[in-house]
Amino acid sequence: MNRLKRAAFGLGLVALGLSVGSARAEEFTSPDILILGDSQISFGSGPVFLEFFENIKAHCDPNAQQEEQLHALGQMSVGVIGVRSTSLHSWTARMGKAKGAICDVDPKWMVNAGAYGLVNQSGNKYVQIGQGPEYQFCEKDKSAFETMFRDDYYKPKLLLMSFLGNAASRWANSRAAALEDVRAAMAQLPPDMPCIFMTTAPAYTKKVVDLRLMAQENLKHAFVEAGSQCTFIEGANPQTVAANLGNKHYFRLNNAGMVKDPFHPNTEAAKNFFAIEMNDICNGIFEQVARAAGGG
């Protein structure tokens, strides 16, 4: 490539960069409520998250004071994004494999996330992070959290994070690792951002559930020790475990009627999960909006 062509190519890249930046500024509107999670969202729970948070008042039946505090959530527009094999430390990593789980293009499917609500009006739930004005989370030497929560981009009035499975071994085996991940996340989130952390729904097999329960306990301890502003909700509890454990009707089956995916509960399971967790989720929402309103 001669110098003239290189110069033209370089100008083209600059123009492309300006175009992407302009598109982001002109086309993007931040949701008031943002849900971030892993592949459980893509494989079953995404629509249920969306429906629940778009209808908070119907599900949570706020009293007069809570109704007033819900005004802190604005129009309560909702965006839901679940990115394949990610966990909390994927969103705080500035480089390497953990960040790659968010930013690398999936080599087989060319998409790596499921998105719903305000952040995806395309009619196709599958997206690739890094492509499109809603998913510009992948700047060099910055984490996804640092990029998305900069001043001119995502400004949710309530953030809910839902992770567990992809860090189960890491957190179950080390309280220190759990604390490290929580502290990193809290350092990168805006300190005044209301937030909820809810661990994901239980899996099909006892071995996996037992590991995740250990991980959840260590993670819960980490949120307390880190002094996090987030409300912590245990997605794996006696009721949700009893509902999912060994229940093949709540998981995807093969043609022979056997469970082919023991890690991702289906949409029916997600609806039941939310029914069980409803009080805890509603209490978490009210706790956070009260804090935002100066009442907590």
Side-chain angles (χ1 to χ4, degrees), residues 48-83:
V48 185
F49 267 112
L50 180 64
E51 191 280 329
F52 187 94
F53 279 89
E54 284 186 332
N55 297 283
I56 288 174
K57 292 180 182 180
H59 289 299
C60 295
D61 191 23
N63 61 34
Q65 182 179 17
Q66 292 165 341
E67 176 94 29
E68 181 64 29
Q69 290 169 339
L70 282 174
H71 290 165
L73 299 182
Q75 298 300 308
M76 294 196 283
S77 59
V78 182
V80 182
I81 303 173
V83 187

Side-chain angles (χ1 to χ4, degrees), residues 207-222:
K207 180 179 180 180
V208 173
V209 168
D210 287 347
L211 179 70
R212 293 186 181 187
L213 286 170
M214 293 171 59
Q216 179 178 261
E217 185 62 26
N218 286 346
L219 191 64
K220 180 180 180 180
H221 179 272

Side-chain angles (χ1 to χ4, degrees), residues 41-138:
I41 284 177
S42 305
F43 288 114
S45 66
V48 185
F49 267 112
L50 180 64
E51 191 280 329
F52 187 94
F53 279 89
E54 284 186 332
N55 297 283
I56 288 174
K57 292 180 182 180
H59 289 299
C60 295
D61 191 23
N63 61 34
Q65 182 179 17
Q66 292 165 341
E67 176 94 29
E68 181 64 29
Q69 290 169 339
L70 282 174
H71 290 165
L73 299 182
Q75 298 300 308
M76 294 196 283
S77 59
V78 182
V80 182
I81 303 173
V83 187
R84 60 176 184 192
S85 299
T86 57
S87 194
L88 193 57
H89 59 286
S90 307
W91 293 84
T92 63
R94 298 187 175 102
M95 61 185 68
K97 185 177 180 181
K99 182 179 179 179
I102 294 175
C103 294
D104 292 348
V105 176
D106 186 279
K108 181 177 181 180
W109 303 108
M110 307 305 291
V111 289
N112 71 341
Y116 309 80
L118 187 67
V119 296
N120 188 1
Q121 303 295 315
S122 69
N124 182 355
K125 70 178 181 180
Y126 296 113
V127 303
Q128 173 61 47
I129 300 302
Q131 298 176 8
E134 298 88 356
Y135 316 115
Q136 297 300 307
F137 308 155
C138 300

